[in-house]
Amino acid sequence: MQQLTFSSAGLVHWLVVDVVAGVVSLNGQREEAEFLRELPDPVKRASPSGSMAVLSRVRDETTAVWMRTWNETAAIGHMGGAAGMKRPPWLEDAVSSAKGSNLWVGAVREATHIARMAYETAVVRDHREELNGIPVDEDDGWLATWLTFVQMDLWDHAREETFWPLANNGIEFEDMGLIVGGAQRWWPEDAAERRAGA
C-alpha cells in the first residue's frame, strides 16, 4: 500500500462514499446508501448539500450498533481482548491523508468517526465469537472481512493497477482475479500525485 499513489479527491471519495456506504449497508440504511453513492466527485472544501444530515444519521446508527455489540459482548465475558486492537497503518495513513486534503471537510470528519466505530464494532464481534468458543480465523473474521472490502475500495482509487488473485483454500490462482486501480476518473492526464500518508 505504501507504493501506491492516490489523488486527494480519490481518498476523500473512498472514505466518505465507499467506506461509509459499506457501513451503511451493514446498518440496513438503504436510503443513505443510495444518497452517498450518488455524490459528485470531491472538488471543494464544502461538503455536498444534504451530506451532513445523511452522515449524522449514519453516525448515530453506527454508534448505536457499536454500543449494542459492546454491551452484548460484555454480557458474555471480559472485554480485554477487544479493547486494545490497533488499526493497521495503511488505514490510518489513508484516513489521515483524506483529512489533510481540505476537501469535503465536514463530511470527512463524520466519515472518519464512522469508519473508526465500524472498525471497533468488527473487533468486538470477533471477540464475541471467541468468548462463545468459536475460533476466529485471521483471514475470515468480522474484522478481516471489513478490512478486505475497505482495502479493495482504496486500491480501486490508486493510480497503479493491481492484480488481486482469487484464492481457494489458501491457494491463489495465477490467471483468475480482480484488477483494481488506474481508473481515469481519478487519474486524468494532469492529476497530481500524492503518496498514502503524505
Side-chain angles (χ1 to χ4, degrees), residues 153-165:
D153 286 336
L154 179 59
W155 274 351
D156 208 31
H157 288 76
R159 175 184 286 272
E160 300 81 2
E161 285 189 351
T162 301
F163 177 73
W164 192 328

Side-chain angles (χ1 to χ4, degrees), residues 106-193:
V108 166
R109 183 181 59 247
E110 288 297 306
T112 298
H113 178 79
I114 291 164
R116 288 184 175 148
M117 295 301 287
Y119 179 91
E120 290 175 17
T121 300
V123 170
V124 174
R125 283 179 169 151
D126 278 348
H127 185 62
R128 182 173 58 196
E129 300 282 317
E130 292 170 347
L131 289 174
N132 282 322
I134 302 167
V136 175
D137 187 304
E138 197 173 287
D139 297 325
D140 294 324
W142 288 96
L143 180 59
T145 301
W146 188 81
L147 285 174
T148 296
F149 284 109
V150 168
Q151 191 174 47
M152 284 181 67
D153 286 336
L154 179 59
W155 274 351
D156 208 31
H157 288 76
R159 175 184 286 272
E160 300 81 2
E161 285 189 351
T162 301
F163 177 73
W164 192 328
L166 295 177
N168 186 13
N169 293 328
I171 301 171
E172 293 183 350
F173 298 107
E174 291 181 22
D175 57 348
M176 287 190 350
L178 304 171
I179 296 176
V180 293
Q184 284 299 307
R185 175 178 181 183
W186 305 113
W187 294 105
E189 293 299 318
D190 59 348
E193 292 187 357

Side-chain angles (χ1 to χ4, degrees), residues 6-25:
F6 301 90
S7 68
S8 295
L11 286 170
V12 169
H13 180 272
W14 161 77
L15 180 60
V16 175
V17 176
D18 292 331
V19 174
V20 175
V23 173
V24 164
S25 296

